[in-house]
Amino acid sequence: MRLSKKNISILLLSGLFMLSCRGHISEKPPIHPNPNMDFQERYNAQEVNTFFEDSMAMRRQVEGTIARGMLKQDDAYYRGLNESGDLVAEIPVEVTKELIYRGKERYDIYCSVCHGGVGNGRGIIMTGQYGYVPAPSFHTDLIRQMPDGHFFSAITNGIRTMPSYATQIKVQDRWAIVAYIRALQRSQNVPESEMGRFDVDLAELQQEYQAEQEELAALEEARSAGASDEVSAERGEQLYTQNACQTCHSTDGTRLVGPTFQNLFGHDVPLEDGSTVVADEDYIRQSIREPNSQIVQGFAPSMVPFDYLSDSEIESLIEFIKSLSDQSESEE
Ligand code: HEC
Ligand code: HEC
């Protein structure tokens, strides 16, 4: 373009215009010379639309259709199930060091508060009396034998009183956590004969373990020193709430995760192995200390041993359970 006088003055003028705009905030929408179809009527999320019979503007996916990229056909990967619909025995993705470390990171965020950093069920929320159902340890034979899919399913669907973590944890990360739990299980279950394979000083480990045990014993002693020795049904009732027994055991006959305490004392209890026992004090004591030694018929062996309860606490719980029975029958 040839710079005539006219062109130069236009340039200057437009330059002035631009300068004069700086620092001004306009309340008006910007000029939009060609609106195309940029501004149209539309519905906001959750809005009413009477055009449809159900008056919902947001429509459900058409039945029998799948959105692009949402075909989750791989049952093993997405649901932890094999062809016959059982939980997969093994993680269906390649287990690499990266996957395990990713699993550790996610585990520490989502699971360790309850299941504990090493998976022993002694997470931070379990150490106090927060009234939460104690999380099981992953280091029992029962849980070591579970298929990989069991852990995946617990995260995906929740299990009994534990809620699902599916909305927080992506599928790939769930498998990473499963891999890490397996690593934790191994780390806590190495026979001494195999320790030689690792570059560790056994004597030093033994000492560390000893020190840890003493520390735990001291903590336990400190806890019980302050605790009362009182045995009463009232104290038992408090303990029943504090230790979250009520999440699994009702007092009014309702069946929850575990059997009701109503009319338990002094009555016959059918066990899973076909035998029958009378719910006396010994039976109840043992049911609390070692719940998996006698499984009540029709219930899963899902109660965690309450080994941290003191004797007077257990006796109080027994008194409380007794108070829920009609006395005439329990006296026979
Ligand atoms: C808020 C506490 C809490 C958190 C967090 C938590 N759990 Fe749990 N978990 C529990 C409790 C309580 C149970 C026992 C539920 C029952 O038996 O009713 C349980 C049970 C389980 C079981 C079943 C064990 C069995 O009996 O077979 C698995 C597996 C499990 N959790 C894995 C996980 C994983 C993996 C995470 C992290 C993604 C996690 N949990 C996070 C509390 C928790
Ligand atoms: C996570 C759920 C859960 C929690 C929490 C729980 N239990 Fe249980 N409990 C069960 C289940 C399931 C059974 C039946 C299976 C069995 O015998 O182990 C059971 C069985 C029992 C029995 C035997 C009952 C019978 O009908 O024979 C007693 C007694 C008992 N629990 C006491 C307690 C006490 C006391 C607490 C609290 C300190 C407690 N439980 C906390 C799940 C739980």
Side-chain angles (χ1 to χ4, degrees):
M1 178 173 75
R2 209 173 59 85
L3 282 187
S4 68
K5 261 193 191 151
K6 194 174 150 207
N7 280 344
I8 288 178
S9 50
I10 289 177
L11 261 178
L12 277 177
L13 239 126
S14 54
L16 262 180
F17 264 123
M18 277 154 87
L19 276 178
S20 65
C21 291
R22 289 181 53 185
H24 269 270
I25 296 169
S26 171
E27 297 286 306
K28 291 180 202 147
I31 297 160
H32 203 107
N34 183 3
N36 285 331
M37 291 165 76
D38 291 352
F39 306 103
Q40 302 179 64
E41 283 200 57
R42 64 168 168 77
Y43 286 97
N44 288 332
Q46 316 284 357
E47 215 171 304
V48 171
N49 180 349
T50 48
F51 176 79
F52 296 108
E53 222 169 74
D54 58 11
S55 302
M56 296 195 296
M58 291 167 77
R59 306 310 303 157
R60 280 181 212 286
Q61 196 164 318
V62 177
E63 223 171 287
T65 64
I66 291 162
R68 193 176 281 256
M70 290 294 169
L71 180 59
K72 296 179 176 167
Q73 213 174 12
D74 189 342
D75 268 342
Y77 182 69
Y78 288 105
R79 283 168 276 278
L81 301 173
N82 60 23
E83 301 85 41
S84 40
D86 299 322
L87 295 169
V88 291
E90 278 174 28
I91 300 176
V93 294
E94 200 196 340
V95 178
T96 59
K97 209 165 166 182
E98 286 71 39
L99 187 83
I100 296 179
Y101 275 105
R102 171 75 182 169
K104 170 175 169 42
E105 191 209 19
R106 296 292 106 181
Y107 177 91
D108 287 346
I109 294 171
Y110 292 108
C111 321
S112 66
V113 282
C114 297
H115 289 277
V118 294
N120 60 1
R122 290 283 180 270
I124 180 96
I125 87 160
M126 300 301 165
T127 53
Q129 304 248 301
Y130 290 94
Y132 200 86
V133 179
S137 161
F138 295 135
H139 311 303
T140 58
D141 286 338
L142 188 75
I143 295 190
R144 273 194 286 262
Q145 284 157 14
M146 299 274 183
D148 288 348
H150 176 68
F151 299 88
F152 179 85
S153 162
I155 308 174
T156 309
N157 311 310
I159 177 161
R160 300 182 298 266
T161 53
M162 182 185 123
S164 153
Y165 283 84
T167 50
Q168 285 116 302
I169 306 176
K170 295 201 188 89
V171 173
Q172 180 71 17
D173 284 342
R174 291 177 218 163
W175 288 116
I177 291 176
V178 177
Y180 181 62
I181 292 179
R182 287 312 196 194
L184 277 181
Q185 286 178 325
R186 286 220 186 160
S187 79
Q188 304 292 306
N189 192 35
V190 184
E192 213 171 311
S193 56
E194 275 182 39
M195 284 301 251
R197 288 200 293 137
F198 303 98
D199 184 20
V200 288
D201 184 342
L202 263 186
E204 199 180 314
L205 272 186
Q206 284 286 7
Q207 261 176 7
E208 258 179 50
Y209 179 72
Q210 233 32 212
E212 242 171 54
Q213 291 304 307
E214 277 162 30
E215 210 174 296
L216 279 179
L219 271 177
E220 194 50 39
E221 207 167 301
R223 200 182 81 90
S224 52
S228 89
D229 294 333
E230 184 199 319
V231 173
S232 69
E234 290 73 40
R235 185 163 177 228
E237 183 166 13
Q238 278 170 12
L239 290 162
Y240 165 77
T241 336
Q242 280 167 2
N243 293 286
C245 314
Q246 90 275 20
T247 12
C248 300
H249 297 285
S250 78
T251 54
D252 63 0
T254 314
R255 181 196 163 110
L256 302 176
V257 175
T260 180
F261 284 164
Q262 190 186 50
N263 282 332
L264 164 63
F265 190 80
H267 288 81
D268 285 350
V269 178
L271 298 181
E272 200 60 52
D273 64 11
S275 63
T276 301
V277 289
V278 178
D280 56 9
E281 292 188 5
D282 281 340
Y283 169 76
I284 292 177
R285 202 171 292 125
Q286 188 174 348
S287 295
I288 303 175
R289 289 255 190 246
E290 298 168 59
N292 295 331
S293 60
Q294 288 168 306
I295 306 299
V296 183
Q297 200 170 65
F299 290 91
S302 61
M303 181 172 149
V304 180
F306 284 81
D307 42 15
Y308 56 78
L309 293 176
S310 71
D311 288 344
S312 70
E313 287 174 326
I314 300 241
E315 297 313 310
S316 297
L317 279 165
I318 296 177
E319 287 307 313
F320 173 59
I321 293 173
K322 272 190 193 171
S323 74
L324 301 168
S325 236
D326 49 71
Q327 293 299 313
S328 58
E329 275 183 81
S330 64
E331 234 113 70
E332 5 170 87

